[in-house]
Amino acid sequence: MVQISGATKLLGVMGYPIEHSLSPVMHNAALQALATQNAQEYLEYIYIPWSITTEALPLVVPSLAEMGCCGFNVTIPHKQAIMPLLTETTDIAKAVGAVNTVWLTHSGWAGTNTDVQGFISPLKDLDRDWSTITPCILGCGGAARAVIVGCAQLGCQKVHIIGRQSQKLQHLKTQCVSALSVEIQVHLWADIPALLPQTDLLINATPIGMFPQPQKSPLLATDIDQLPSNAIVYDLIYTPNPTLLLELAQARQHRIINGSEMLVQQGAAALSLWLGYPAPVETMRHALEAHFSR
Ligand code: NAP
């Protein structure tokens, strides 16, 4: 069992609330594995959850640098509020309009967004011509924005975004269009039946169907019957696994993807950035699986 020493450095995740976060499980498993592989008696880094209110955020962030913190993740509700507290942000964070990973530079805290990399990860090796695929994204919140940037990176020319508030949809469209080359078409939920027959990639970026309401699905079985037979159905939700949406899609022989690989890969990308070498992805995946099967 590796131990904490006086030289152990600090990593962490801040959010409010934070108790639900699975990041400490994944990251500490990875850090322990790295210490063991390198035959180290002590952990070089430890990863801590921090429950930080919005009011406390501007006080906490500068003092973390003073405490020897090398980097941290940011989750709900701070992914946008953190941005003015950083000295630099990557182009990808600017395109998403949110930061989930922060690291220390000589001039202060820098931020990026690894959700995009996490989202793309289970898609990028599939044999598809992404330039001919128009994804349909359910939801227009924070995760949907990372998905739009991810679809643009894959090479999609156009995306359909489904929301329930016209004003919010228009705001998203205006912001993203100025930052991205992808064409964005926004729709209300009533438009879905017309879109499904031309949807080769359907992405659920809403919390509908997430624990503790696993009996819910953003689409009905009769909706899924309208998808082309080779459509991929991707649910960003990682608990339950599979969601009802994915069960319905799987029963109709669609390729399904759940949110756990996105979670693992966004975490691995953050850890690699902090450590300066590749994160043990397999260890992180196993730690998450072990947590879910408890
Ligand atoms: P968010 O910012 O709160 O956005 C949620 C979106 O879903 C909003 O557009 C919201 O509509 C819509 N929505 C919520 N309830 C709805 C309902 N009953 N009917 C129709 N639309 C509804 O949340 P987020 O951060 O984008 O997260 C969305 C989902 O992605 C969550 O399940 C989260 O766990 C998952 N996620 C997974 C990962 C991963 O690593 N796998 C990463 C990030 C997020 P309004 O805009 O009208 O409120």
Side-chain angles (χ1 to χ4, degrees), residues 27 33 46 66 71 88 106 121 139 148 208 214 216 220 238 248 252 258 273 285:
H27 284 287
I46 190 164
E66 302 300 324
E88 56 185 292
H106 292 301
S121 164
I148 298 168
I208 306 170
K216 295 202 167 174
L220 303 171
Y238 43 82
L248 294 170
R252 286 155 181 78
N258 94 326
L273 197 158
R285 199 178 283 128

Side-chain angles (χ1 to χ4, degrees), residues 140-143 164-165 168 205-208 210 236 238 259 262-263:
C140 58
R164 54 183 176 178
Q165 301 179 54
K168 194 167 172 182
T206 78
I208 306 170
M210 189 167 73
L236 301 196
Y238 43 82
M262 175 175 173
L263 183 65

Side-chain angles (χ1 to χ4, degrees), residues 119 135-139 147 151 201-205 232 234-236:
F119 165 72
C136 180
I137 303 166
L138 308 178
V147 169
C151 290
L201 173 60
L202 176 79
I203 300 147
N204 179 30
I232 302 167
Y234 190 158
D235 199 331
L236 301 196

Side-chain angles (χ1 to χ4, degrees), residues 39-237:
Q40 281 170 214
E41 199 177 334
Y42 296 108
L43 280 173
E44 214 179 323
Y45 295 89
I46 190 164
Y47 186 101
I48 307 284
W50 293 305
S51 176
I52 309 291
T53 62
T54 305
E55 297 72 39
L57 194 69
L59 302 173
V60 169
V61 171
S63 54
L64 275 175
E66 302 300 324
M67 288 170 59
C69 178
C70 326
F72 55 92
N73 285 127
V74 184
T75 188
I76 294 170
H78 303 320
K79 285 185 174 185
Q80 288 169 349
I82 190 81
M83 294 180 81
L85 305 174
L86 307 175
T87 50
E88 56 185 292
T89 47
T90 58
D91 288 345
I92 206 147
K94 288 188 187 104
V96 178
V99 160
N100 78 332
T101 300
V102 174
W103 74 100
L104 198 57
T105 70
H106 292 301
S107 56
W109 292 114
T112 190
N113 192 306
T114 64
D115 282 336
V116 177
Q117 198 173 330
F119 165 72
I120 289 177
S121 164
L123 293 173
K124 66 179 193 309
D125 295 329
L126 299 181
D127 184 21
R128 304 279 164 134
D129 177 1
W130 296 105
S131 66
T132 64
I133 288 179
T134 302
C136 180
I137 303 166
L138 308 178
C140 58
R145 299 169 75 107
V147 169
I148 298 168
V149 177
C151 290
Q153 283 199 355
L154 283 172
C156 300
Q157 308 288 306
K158 183 163 86 174
V159 294
H160 293 296
I161 317 289
I162 314 296
R164 54 183 176 178
Q165 301 179 54
S166 300
Q167 214 179 346
K168 194 167 172 182
L169 283 165
Q170 286 305 331
H171 182 63
L172 177 86
K173 181 174 174 169
T174 316
Q175 279 191 331
C176 287
V177 162
S178 57
L180 296 172
S181 54
V182 67
E183 181 190 342
I184 295 177
Q185 293 200 356
V186 295
H187 309 267
L188 293 170
W189 283 76
D191 295 341
I192 289 183
L195 296 171
L196 290 176
Q198 350 139 19
T199 296
D200 297 311
L201 173 60
L202 176 79
I203 300 147
N204 179 30
T206 78
I208 306 170
M210 189 167 73
F211 181 84
Q213 294 190 303
Q215 76 287 2
K216 295 202 167 174
S217 168
L219 295 183
L220 303 171
T222 47
D223 295 322
I224 296 165
D225 287 337
Q226 302 305 312
L227 288 169
S229 58
N230 66 343
I232 302 167
V233 181
Y234 190 158
D235 199 331
L236 301 196
I237 293 172

